[in-house]
Amino acid sequence: MGRVTLEKLPPDTPEQSRITQYKGSRLVVKAYAGTGKTSTLVKYALMNPRDRILYLAFNRAIRDEALSKFPANVDCKTSHQIAFSAIGRQYGHKLKNNLRLTDIAQALPSPNWTLAKDISEALNAFLASADPRILDVHFCRSERVQGKTRNQVMYQGQVLDGAQMIWQRMIDIEDSFPITHDAYLKLYQLSLPNLARKYTTILFDEAQDSNPVTNHIVLQQKCKVIYVGDDHQQIYRFRGASNALQAPFLSNADTLYLTHSFRFGPQVAMVANALLMLKKETKPVIGRGSQDQVVTSLPEGTGGFTVLSRTVIGVITNALVAAMSGKRIYWVGGIEAYQLAELEDLFWFARRQNDRVRNQKLLKEYRDFEDYEDIAKATKDPEMFRSIALLNDFDDIPGLIALMLEQTVTDPANADITVSTAHRCKGLEWQCVVLADDFPDVFDPELEPEDREDEVNLLYVACTRAMQTLVINQSVALILRYAKGLAAKKRAALEASNSE
């Protein structure tokens, strides 16, 4: 939409007006998918030109988009960007995106993959938490240890001591042991920064998926804060995210809603509401976009479309099928994000053709492919399992990767098919969305309640990316049948009650 002025903005809806004219100090805005959240916040900023505003973005892509929209009195930053300026830049010489298990294992007196995995999980739990130090609760298997044997309790202590040792090495500027982005963000949170010295207002976006570290930074601020998000789009709990919208601190905050979606019409809204019904949500989303359709197969003559998958394997599989059909492919997040080069190295490693492996770390860290498989089983590493599964499913991985690279385009306008995981698609929208068949059945009795809620949220996010056509999968078809049956029962009960 580009930078705008008040004169160029359309009139507020009644829901938007209550937000843009808000004068209090703590506000929670629950904004459903496609309800004009960003344009509402932009208008709020334009109506308060004397305020010094921080728009706290969920990730860099959202930040970059916000930079082109918000007026000059707004700084658009991610929490990591703020923390890097204050603390992280001094660690630039040893900064890594991720800490590998081998980094941890090699720092131990003797390599132990199970111990390294538990230390990694404990450290990550601490980094994602608001806690001031590493505690027993960060041991991810603590529930199995309480009340157990002395050896198990001693092992828990060994894990936590190991996590503390790694943490100290990470934050030591003179130590060559690498530090991650989450680690300097944790240091920033522990420094108790006062953002009110610079800003009068904070717009905290995607608050439902922020982690406790960022929540703690924002919740302690004394300036005006507007928390914006959607409880039903919380999809990063598996990474330690916690819903700031439900923080006890905000129990007395004002709450306003954006429920009218301008992205899609009544048919996609019907699917969204069937998903919300599973969560006992009583406030429906209202589709106010153009006429839309929900179908079970891709309509004939459809031009470009987007396939959303639950898993990375699903994305790569759909891209492979598309490439073999001669289709041009656009990868959300870039093809590099799907680590195809590492997959090709693993292919040659599994066939004992080590001279063709480009990543020498693979050769240093594992004796052979059988060792790789054993470590995958010992650590239950999902990335390693995923790579092994792809090697089992496809024979000529290098040839297929070359074909996908040949068919990949960098401009989505030139693509026949766009591929993405459901997690990567948040904040995006397309005319036609196809749901892949790798989403789980949310009625599976073996799903834990929290996991079921996460899967419903992920389906809600995926479905609400569609603007005109949504091609549903079997999982959503089951949900729609369930919702239809439930509605019929309610009507029958109401008719019976009225006839008495």
Side-chain angles (χ1 to χ4, degrees):
M1 99 183 169
R3 289 185 185 269
V4 295
T5 61
L6 277 174
E7 294 74 20
K8 293 181 179 180
L9 285 173
D12 282 343
T13 65
E15 286 183 330
Q16 291 172 324
S17 180
R18 286 190 283 271
I19 296 165
T20 58
Q21 298 182 35
Y22 180 74
K23 300 302 179 186
S25 61
R26 281 288 186 277
L27 174 63
V28 172
V29 176
K30 297 194 174 184
Y32 286 177
T35 54
K37 171 189 68 174
T38 302
S39 60
T40 304
L41 295 180
V42 168
K43 189 162 188 179
Y44 174 88
L46 286 167
M47 292 180 67
N48 295 275
R50 295 182 180 178
D51 286 0
R52 302 185 312 280
I53 300 175
L54 169 66
Y55 172 80
L56 196 57
F58 179 70
N59 57 33
R60 184 182 297 177
I62 293 173
R63 186 274 317 270
D64 290 346
E65 185 180 2
L67 282 171
S68 68
K69 296 179 178 180
F70 279 93
N73 62 319
V74 181
D75 284 346
C76 301
K77 298 179 182 293
T78 65
S79 56
H80 281 92
Q81 186 179 7
I82 297 171
F84 183 81
S85 297
I87 291 177
R89 64 172 69 254
Q90 63 186 313
Y91 291 99
H93 61 289
K94 64 173 196 167
L95 188 59
K96 271 190 175 183
N97 288 330
N98 297 293
L99 201 61
R100 300 169 65 94
L101 282 180
T102 49
D103 294 326
I104 297 175
Q106 289 168 6
L108 299 175
S110 58
N112 181 322
W113 291 105
T114 300
L115 179 60
K117 176 72 171 178
D118 286 337
I119 288 173
S120 175
E121 290 183 352
L123 181 63
N124 287 332
F126 165 65
L127 295 179
S129 76
D131 299 319
R133 60 185 182 279
I134 295 174
L135 304 169
D136 287 350
V137 70
H138 300 132
F139 180 60
C140 298
R141 295 194 291 162
S142 58
E143 71 281 357
R144 303 180 206 170
V145 170
Q146 293 168 3
K148 298 291 183 176
T149 67
R150 182 170 177 270
N151 285 342
Q152 288 174 312
V153 174
M154 288 177 63
Y155 178 72
Q156 175 175 325
Q158 188 178 5
V159 169
L160 297 177
D161 287 346
Q164 181 64 34
M165 179 269 292
I166 296 296
W167 168 242
Q168 290 300 325
R169 291 194 61 184
M170 289 174 81
I171 63 176
D172 184 346
I173 295 178
E174 304 300 326
D175 195 311
S176 62
F177 193 87
I179 189 172
T180 63
H181 294 278
D182 286 343
Y184 70 69
L185 177 62
K186 181 66 181 179
L187 282 173
Y188 181 67
Q189 176 246 331
L190 293 175
S191 74
L192 300 177
N194 181 8
L195 294 172
R197 291 175 181 169
K198 185 174 182 181
Y199 301 107
T200 57
T201 305
I202 297 174
L203 306 178
F204 187 16
D205 199 5
E206 298 288 344
Q208 81 284 345
D209 259 332
S210 62
N211 59 28
V213 172
T214 304
N215 292 352
H216 184 265
I217 293 170
V218 177
L219 288 168
Q220 69 173 336
Q221 302 307 317
K222 303 303 181 184
C223 57
K224 178 189 292 187
V225 183
I226 298 178
Y227 302 79
V228 188
D230 183 356
D231 295 321
H232 310 303
Q233 293 190 67
Q234 183 184 14
I235 59 173
Y236 286 106
R237 184 154 39 191
F238 71 97
R239 286 188 185 171
S242 64
N243 190 349
L245 302 175
Q246 297 176 358
F249 177 81
L250 297 176
S251 59
N252 295 322
D254 299 315
T255 301
L256 294 172
Y257 286 83
L258 291 173
T259 63
H260 292 246
S261 180
F262 305 98
R263 176 180 297 154
F264 46 77
Q267 297 306 309
V268 173
M270 176 267 298
V271 175
N273 286 321
L275 289 159
L276 297 184
M277 178 205 63
L278 295 178
K279 300 178 65 182
K280 297 181 170 54
E281 175 59 70
T282 58
K283 191 178 287 291
V285 59
I286 299 166
R288 292 184 58 182
S290 60
Q291 187 58 43
D292 56 359
Q293 60 178 335
V294 175
V295 294
T296 55
S297 60
L298 194 66
E300 287 289 332
T302 301
F305 60 94
T306 297
V307 180
L308 300 180
S309 303
R310 174 65 178 83
T311 63
V312 172
I313 288 179
V315 172
I316 295 174
T317 302
N318 280 300
L320 281 171
V321 172
M324 289 187 285
S325 300
K327 289 186 169 63
R328 294 165 297 177
I329 309 159
Y330 176 78
W331 304 67
V332 172
I335 190 171
E336 303 81 11
Y338 295 86
Q339 301 175 330
L340 296 180
E342 292 185 15
L343 180 63
E344 185 172 350
D345 280 341
L346 194 61
F347 172 87
W348 296 122
F349 188 52
R351 281 154 180 75
R352 303 184 189 282
Q353 297 186 40
N354 292 0
D355 57 315
R356 306 186 76 166
V357 175
R358 288 165 293 184
N359 183 4
Q360 294 301 302
K361 289 193 75 172
L362 185 65
L363 304 178
K364 293 177 182 177
E365 293 170 1
Y366 308 101
R367 293 189 304 274
D368 49 35
F369 186 67
E370 288 71 25
D371 185 37
Y372 182 93
E373 290 181 304
D374 289 342
I375 291 170
K377 292 174 184 176
T379 60
K380 296 182 174 60
D381 189 293
E383 294 294 333
M384 298 174 77
F385 279 143
R386 195 170 339 189
S387 299
I388 292 168
L390 281 169
L391 293 185
N392 291 332
D393 289 342
F394 298 98
D395 293 327
D396 182 17
I397 291 292
L400 292 173
I401 290 176
L403 179 61
M404 284 192 292
L405 286 168
E406 184 180 314
Q407 295 299 116
T408 292
V409 296
T410 56
D411 185 349
N414 297 328
D416 300 307
I417 178 173
T418 294
V419 293
S420 175
T421 61
H423 283 95
R424 284 186 182 273
C425 78
K426 187 157 72 166
L428 302 175
E429 60 187 20
W430 296 275
Q431 295 295 322
C432 179
V433 168
V434 179
L435 300 184
D437 277 322
D438 59 347
F439 289 79
D441 175 7
V442 299
F443 298 113
D444 184 347
E446 294 190 6
L447 272 179
E448 294 293 331
E450 192 173 272
D451 293 335
R452 180 176 290 105
E453 181 175 310
D454 289 345
E455 296 299 340
V456 170
N457 286 356
L458 196 57
L459 280 170
Y460 169 79
V461 168
C463 289
T464 54
R465 300 311 97 191
M467 300 169 68
Q468 289 189 349
T469 300
L470 173 63
V471 183
I472 61 173
N473 58 14
Q474 192 61 33
S475 296
V476 175
L478 285 172
I479 292 166
L480 291 178
R481 283 200 289 272
Y482 175 81
K484 186 176 180 180
L486 199 62
K489 287 181 181 178
K490 288 182 178 179
R491 283 197 303 271
L494 183 61
E495 288 172 2
S497 175
N498 291 338
S499 64
E500 291 178 356

